[in-house]
Amino acid sequence: QVQLVQSGAEAKKPGDSLKVSCKAAGYSFTDYMIEWVRQAPGQRLEWMGRINAGNGDTTYSQKFQGRVTMTRDTSATTAYLELSSLRSEETAIFYCARGIWGGPPDYWGQGTLVTVSS
Amino acid sequence: DIQMTQSPSALSASVGDRITITCRASQDISNSLAWFRQKPGKAPESLIYGASSLQSGVPSRFSGSGSGTDFTLTINSLQPEDFASYYCQHYYVYPFTFGQGTKVEI
């Protein structure tokens, strides 16, 4: 069955960078997109961007442009999210999800809590 | 960016009830609308895509309708696991934005 397993919780300081991984299994990794979604405590879901796992093309939300990098390793069927210059108000759970071109996500990872505090 | 607005923000219901949640887009998004359920402390689950098509494995008590700017999610015969938050999301153009959520409480 389709599974997306994310890396564990992290604690960061303001100004740090984060890197979250998303290991995919149970489907053909390169046939789909991987989306990244952020959720601050008590807040709505926020779409950050997506990567085409096949060709590596990326689309980022303008809100994160310049600070976000999404990559993938096809041999490891793993996608990565990097976000730099973290601020204390950016404590959040980061989710990866499988998506299709022209469609929404269907399967989600379990989430990775990133706490940003001095 | 396209703004997505859900109503109500919260509602109280009982097991067995029928409820409806609405989602309005700030511009025409055709039928590029998805719904998600998020149980407390858990990842979102995908329910509906294309405004009215059920994702694989989703119970038939869930249904969606609408096109253009106005959409609804209906849950017939609420089950205990349905007490959760629900989000709509458009995927018409980038960035794909979400509604603010609707919390369904007992």
Side-chain angles (χ1 to χ4, degrees), chain B residues 2 6 8 13 17 33 39 48-49 57 74 81-82 95 103 105:
Chain B
I2 297 174
Q6 292 180 229
D17 283 355
L33 192 281
K39 299 173 185 174
I48 286 171
Y49 66 96
T74 299
E81 61 268 30
D82 299 332
K103 188 173 183 179
E105 301 169 302

Side-chain angles (χ1 to χ4, degrees), chain B residues 45-78:
Chain B
E45 303 167 271
S46 301
L47 299 175
I48 286 171
Y49 66 96
S52 60
S53 298
L54 260 58
Q55 290 281 4
S56 174
V58 172
S60 59
R61 64 179 181 274
F62 293 93
S63 62
S65 65
S67 67
T69 61
D70 293 312
F71 303 86
T72 61
L73 171 71
T74 299
I75 310 174
N76 288 300
S77 189
L78 268 175

Side-chain angles (χ1 to χ4, degrees), chain B residues 21-45:
Chain B
I21 299 168
T22 66
C23 177
R24 175 163 288 175
S26 60
Q27 66 185 72
D28 190 333
I29 59 169
S30 186
N31 68 339
S32 298
L33 192 281
W35 289 97
F36 304 92
R37 176 177 67 182
Q38 187 176 34
K39 299 173 185 174
K42 299 295 187 183
E45 303 167 271

Side-chain angles (χ1 to χ4, degrees), chain A residues 33 35 37 39 43-47 50 59 61 95 101-111, chain B residues 4 34 36 38 42-46 48-49 55-56 87 89 91 94-101:
Chain A
M33 319 287 281
E35 321 246 351
V37 174
Q39 188 172 39
Q43 300 300 307
R44 73 174 71 190
L45 300 163
E46 182 174 32
W47 186 81
R50 58 181 1 193
T59 302
S61 170
Y95 294 102
W101 181 257
D106 54 3
Y107 290 92
W108 294 69
Q110 84 277 18
Chain B
M4 306 300 292
F36 304 92
Q38 187 176 34
K42 299 295 187 183
E45 303 167 271
S46 301
I48 286 171
Y49 66 96
Q55 290 281 4
S56 174
Y87 294 91
Q89 181 204 29
Y91 49 96
Y94 297 126
F96 300 163
T97 50
F98 291 86
Q100 82 279 18

Side-chain angles (χ1 to χ4, degrees), chain A residues 17-95:
Chain A
S17 297
L18 68 82
K19 187 170 185 176
V20 177
S21 67
C22 173
K23 167 75 174 171
Y27 71 96
S28 178
F29 181 68
T30 53
D31 286 346
Y32 290 84
M33 319 287 281
I34 293 290
E35 321 246 351
W36 290 94
V37 174
R38 180 174 82 168
Q39 188 172 39
Q43 300 300 307
R44 73 174 71 190
L45 300 163
E46 182 174 32
W47 186 81
M48 300 181 69
R50 58 181 1 193
I51 180 167
N52 182 323
N55 62 16
D57 284 351
T58 54
T59 302
Y60 301 141
S61 170
Q62 196 145 9
K63 177 174 181 176
F64 301 98
Q65 204 85 25
R67 288 203 298 143
V68 68
T69 305
M70 296 176 189
T71 58
R72 94 281 189 233
D73 179 342
T74 56
S75 63
T77 64
T78 300
Y80 301 94
L81 167 72
E82 294 181 81
L83 185 64
S84 63
S85 303
L86 291 168
R87 301 183 278 267
S88 56
E89 62 267 27
E90 291 191 293
T91 291
I93 298 173
F94 292 81
Y95 294 102

